[in-house]
Amino acid sequence: FFSFVKFADVRVKNHTMASDWIHCNSCQAIPSKDVQFIFTSCGHIVCNKCISKIPNSTLCTYCNKNAKFMEINRSLKPEMQMFFRNPRDLANEYMKNLASVLDFQHGHRSRFSRAQQEKANKMTKFAAAAQGEIKKRIDSEKRAITECQEFRSENEKLKMEKEQLETLLAARDREISRLRNNPTYSSTGGARNEFHRPDSGIGTTPMSSLSFIDAITSTPITRGES
């Protein structure tokens, strides 16, 4: 990743690059002090000598396709440098990055899991409280329904008793009215009772009602008799 590539592995930006496979795809030139290598957007590596043979050209000297050229040096983009790095270094760095990523994600996953568990616990408590409240309301409604039924039953009994009392009062009123309209009732409210002697062969002449006044006037009492 500098202006030229040596035969041995080189370190660029603290990364080791394996150079034993780098060569110009067109002329097969290998790294040396006088050779600069170009990385094309079509994925080939060509040397500066081959590129200089076709001035102002945008064609890859190996596949003859339009391409962009990037000199292999320190300014190469990281995503491009990856292709020239030692696979072992890439693997070690990847494992370190992977461990960091796993730790980072695990921490957030655990935090999220705890938050979700706390939320679930709160929801469970809330659901249990709601179920208890619903049960209380159901029991209260059942008691209210039972009391209402008992009240209706008692009300029906009271209605029946009221009707019976009204029937008795009506019968009594009719009896009183009948007695008042009976001609045998005197003006004072007493009844005139006529007694008939029993059939003794003497006759069927009715007997008048007895009176203490008649008894007094029929038998005078003399004063002074002892």
Side-chain angles (χ1 to χ4, degrees), residues 1 13 70 73-82:
F1 299 118
K13 292 185 178 180
M70 295 166 285
N73 55 29
R74 294 177 182 272
S75 62
L76 199 62
K77 294 180 179 180
E79 59 268 24
M80 299 300 175
Q81 291 183 19
M82 179 182 65

Side-chain angles (χ1 to χ4, degrees), residues 120-168:
N121 292 338
K122 290 181 180 179
M123 292 298 294
T124 301
K125 292 181 180 179
F126 177 79
Q131 288 178 354
E133 185 65 24
I134 291 173
K135 186 177 182 301
K136 290 180 181 179
R137 292 188 180 183
I138 291 175
D139 294 340
S140 178
E141 290 179 359
K142 287 181 178 179
R143 288 194 299 268
I145 292 172
T146 302
E147 292 175 358
C148 183
Q149 291 175 347
E150 292 176 353
F151 175 77
R152 287 179 179 176
S153 177
E154 186 67 23
N155 191 30
E156 291 296 328
K157 292 180 181 179
L158 292 175
K159 283 183 179 180
M160 292 178 63
E161 292 178 0
K162 176 178 174 292
E163 292 175 357
Q164 291 175 358
L165 291 174
E166 289 177 348
T167 301
L168 291 174

Side-chain angles (χ1 to χ4, degrees), residues 1 12-18 21 78 80-94 97:
F1 299 118
V12 178
K13 292 185 178 180
N14 298 323
H15 297 310
T16 302
M17 181 188 71
W21 54 270
M80 299 300 175
Q81 291 183 19
M82 179 182 65
F83 293 103
F84 299 94
R85 293 183 55 188
N86 189 313
R88 183 179 300 173
D89 293 342
L90 283 175
N92 292 334
E93 184 177 347
Y94 176 80
N97 292 335

Side-chain angles (χ1 to χ4, degrees), residues 20-192:
D20 57 338
W21 54 270
I22 297 177
H23 65 283
C24 176
N25 296 160
S26 296
C27 67
Q28 308 302 315
I30 59 176
S32 66
K33 287 186 177 182
D34 298 330
V35 179
Q36 294 179 350
F37 288 92
I38 308 297
F39 186 38
T40 66
S41 59
C42 56
H44 297 119
I45 299 175
V46 293
C47 65
N48 58 334
K49 294 181 179 179
C50 291
I51 290 292
S52 62
K53 294 178 182 179
I54 311 175
N56 300 324
S57 175
T58 58
L59 297 178
C60 174
T61 58
Y62 180 78
C63 64
N64 292 323
K65 292 182 179 179
N66 285 323
K68 294 181 180 179
F69 304 121
M70 295 166 285
E71 184 178 356
I72 301 175
N73 55 29
R74 294 177 182 272
S75 62
L76 199 62
K77 294 180 179 180
E79 59 268 24
M80 299 300 175
Q81 291 183 19
M82 179 182 65
F83 293 103
F84 299 94
R85 293 183 55 188
N86 189 313
R88 183 179 300 173
D89 293 342
L90 283 175
N92 292 334
E93 184 177 347
Y94 176 80
M95 293 304 296
K96 291 179 181 179
N97 292 335
L98 179 61
S100 299
V101 170
L102 290 176
D103 290 340
F104 177 79
Q105 293 183 3
H106 176 71
H108 284 275
R109 187 178 290 106
S110 299
R111 189 179 297 107
F112 181 70
S113 179
R114 288 193 301 269
Q116 291 295 315
Q117 186 63 40
E118 292 176 359
K119 184 177 180 181
N121 292 338
K122 290 181 180 179
M123 292 298 294
T124 301
K125 292 181 180 179
F126 177 79
Q131 288 178 354
E133 185 65 24
I134 291 173
K135 186 177 182 301
K136 290 180 181 179
R137 292 188 180 183
I138 291 175
D139 294 340
S140 178
E141 290 179 359
K142 287 181 178 179
R143 288 194 299 268
I145 292 172
T146 302
E147 292 175 358
C148 183
Q149 291 175 347
E150 292 176 353
F151 175 77
R152 287 179 179 176
S153 177
E154 186 67 23
N155 191 30
E156 291 296 328
K157 292 180 181 179
L158 292 175
K159 283 183 179 180
M160 292 178 63
E161 292 178 0
K162 176 178 174 292
E163 292 175 357
Q164 291 175 358
L165 291 174
E166 289 177 348
T167 301
L168 291 174
L169 289 174
R172 180 172 294 181
D173 290 341
R174 288 194 298 271
E175 181 66 19
I176 292 172
S177 178
R178 186 185 66 79
L179 293 175
R180 285 178 178 175
N181 294 330
N182 193 338
T184 60
Y185 253 64
S186 63
S187 61
T188 60
R192 290 182 177 180

